[in-house]
Amino acid sequence: MTAVPPAAGARPFLFQVNQADLYTLFIDRLGLDCQPLSPLTGLLTGPSQQPQARPAVLKSMAEQEEVHLAAAILADPQHRLLLRTGGGVTPGALMVACANPPVDPQAVVVFSPTSGNGYQVETFVSADDFAAWAANLLDSVPLFAALEMEVQALEAAGIKEYLHLIPDSLPLEAFIYLIHGIDSYRRATYCSMLEYKPDAEVSLTAAEFDGSLIQSLNSRDLRWLLPAFMALTPGLASFKVMPEPEHLQMLLDKGLLLAGQVEGSHTLLYSWPENGRRLGVEFYRTWSGAAGLELTFRGGQTGQRAFIAATALTNHYFTLEQPESPGGAVAQHEPLNKAGLAEKIAGLFSLPVPEPPAAPAPAIFATIEEPAPFLQEDNRAPDSATRVASTWCLVFVSGPSPVSTIVLGKKVSLGRSAENDIPVLDPLVSRQHALVELSGGGYLVTDLGSANGTYINDVPLTAPAGLRVGDLVKFGGTVFRFQPLYEMS
């Protein structure tokens, strides 16, 4: 374990401690009593059997006033900020920033794992100093000096218009569609490049758009914006997400996506109008990285959750909120320069600490739960392994005409008629064939008197029946699989 002396204008104190030395330093030498919010909780389980640093080194470090200060703040933080970075060209990192004003009214202590088997502790003299360092870590502009002339041209033309292409507020479901649309523009652009079609309109069929959404949500591939959001943002499992057609329609209404048809067919096609292209180009050319953060207070209450996506134009800051009034979660957007981002992060540590609840506090946001399965006529039991998912869908398996993945909302009608929510071009499907609706916590399938029937796992429906994970649902000659749109552990 080594200590680094203060440097003028830099981090005032830094030291590293090996995993094997944690208990000896923080418990034996410093006598810490770690509270549940402490990042040390769970690491100090008992004396290590591994070789430790020389006792004289540990003793010397424990006698330093700066180590005592950092340890006291880490043991009992009143504000704890979890920060995950990665994506684009930003290296992946995990850190926890802690503050305890009664111990020190200004200091922020950062605890993070090192590349070796140890941890690094950094003490910043103030929240402003920490925030300036964090903003410099996240801000992308220095990585894109080659675009300086282009950015200056945008500023001269009125850059504010470009910074606000993303709406100030969106339902979380629409936000997921938004960042998937940004990724899809990049994907479609790459495809046109690989096919040597520079003049072709960048577009994707609805089946490609929906199919890649499912892949993206499950991939955790940080080279793409949506998986970065899913992987880096803490606490996403606390949000209830229920995509409906109107959420995708919001992007169409905002001029960020355009719906059409493949020439000479009825296949639905998505392309990008001018504002959609501007946003797509901004991210596929200059997106440098992302971060997710979560502020937690001493009593366990969540203060804020946010996702940051940095480009050469701005730092897109998305605050995830659950309104007190009835309604779903929303993503609030702010474009911030480096100074604005630093001010935003520093302000988190000045938020007042609420009184701890008298009893265990309920989750601030509704928990995502798997719909309770219905019992079929054969009284089959629910799956032994349950999974947590935010949204459910029917994924096309087989049939005469491929159908885009059906994201299930409250109620979806299927049939050969175009009047249905989901038209199915199958001669064995009736005009009004079946209904899939949310009822009592699970999804219920009802056959609407179709000529060729509706089946679940090859069992014909004679009455409404519930769906379980992995069920194969057959409408006429078209088969779908019932599954989560995405899963979170």
Side-chain angles (χ1 to χ4, degrees), residues 83-314:
L83 184 66
R84 298 171 180 164
T85 65
V89 296
T90 300
L94 170 67
M95 64 192 74
V96 182
C98 299
N100 187 332
V103 173
D104 187 294
Q106 299 293 329
V108 171
V109 179
V110 177
F111 186 80
S112 58
T114 64
S115 55
N117 189 24
Y119 297 88
Q120 181 166 287
V121 180
E122 299 173 78
T123 302
F124 293 83
V125 296
S126 69
D128 289 340
D129 280 6
F130 163 72
W133 173 80
N136 190 64
L137 176 70
L138 299 172
D139 186 80
S140 66
V141 173
L143 300 176
F144 289 92
L147 290 179
E148 183 177 358
M149 295 301 296
E150 183 174 339
V151 172
Q152 289 177 350
L154 288 173
E155 289 175 342
I159 194 172
K160 185 175 181 181
E161 174 188 352
Y162 289 80
L163 299 182
H164 291 274
L165 294 176
I166 297 176
D168 293 340
S169 179
L170 280 173
L172 185 55
E173 296 89 343
F175 172 70
I176 289 174
Y177 277 128
L178 170 72
I179 56 178
H180 176 59
I182 292 171
D183 280 343
S184 295
Y185 180 85
R186 176 181 166 198
R187 178 173 179 262
T189 300
Y190 288 162
C191 289
S192 70
M193 293 169 65
L194 292 172
E195 294 172 359
Y196 303 100
K197 296 179 178 178
D199 299 324
E201 181 183 39
V202 175
S203 61
L204 290 175
T205 66
E208 292 171 329
F209 185 87
D210 294 340
S212 60
L213 173 62
I214 296 173
Q215 291 178 319
S216 179
L217 288 168
N218 286 296
S219 73
R220 302 182 74 84
D221 184 345
L222 299 187
R223 296 173 297 177
W224 298 88
L225 189 60
L226 179 54
F229 168 71
M230 300 297 297
L232 298 177
T233 309
L236 277 186
S238 298
F239 292 88
K240 183 176 182 180
V241 184
M242 182 64 70
E244 299 282 358
E246 58 262 28
H247 295 127
L248 184 58
Q249 184 64 42
M250 290 180 183
L251 304 189
L252 300 171
D253 294 341
K254 297 291 184 181
L256 299 174
L257 199 63
L258 186 65
Q261 290 183 327
V262 175
E263 186 175 356
S265 77
H266 296 290
T267 302
L268 181 60
L269 191 71
Y270 291 125
S271 60
W272 288 263
E274 182 178 2
N275 282 348
R277 290 195 302 272
R278 288 176 176 177
L279 195 58
V281 169
E282 176 190 345
F283 276 88
Y284 101 75
R285 290 186 59 189
T286 77
W287 175 51
S288 62
L293 62 84
E294 179 181 57
L295 175 69
T296 308
F297 297 116
R298 190 175 190 271
Q301 305 94 327
T302 300
Q304 186 175 119
R305 291 189 179 101
F307 176 68
I308 306 166
T311 72
L313 296 186
T314 191

Side-chain angles (χ1 to χ4, degrees), residues 299 301 353-358:
Q301 305 94 327
V353 178
E355 291 294 328

Side-chain angles (χ1 to χ4, degrees), residues 3-70:
V4 179
R11 309 165 201 170
F13 191 76
L14 179 151
F15 68 92
Q16 294 181 352
V17 55
N18 296 326
Q19 173 75 44
D21 298 327
L22 288 174
Y23 191 90
T24 300
L25 177 64
F26 291 114
I27 300 299
D28 291 345
R29 295 285 183 181
L30 298 176
L32 292 183
D33 180 16
C34 294
Q35 300 303 309
L37 198 63
S38 170
L40 299 173
T41 300
L43 296 176
L44 307 177
T45 55
S48 173
Q49 302 303 314
Q50 302 176 20
Q52 299 181 359
R54 290 175 298 175
V57 174
L58 292 174
K59 180 176 182 295
S60 174
M61 292 300 298
E63 292 173 350
Q64 296 186 50
E65 182 179 346
E66 294 88 347
V67 174
H68 275 271
L69 173 66

Side-chain angles (χ1 to χ4, degrees), residues 320-338:
L320 307 182
E321 299 178 353
Q322 180 72 49
E324 294 181 3
S325 58
V330 297
Q332 305 284 359
H333 173 244
E334 293 179 82
L336 301 172
N337 59 18
K338 185 188 296 186

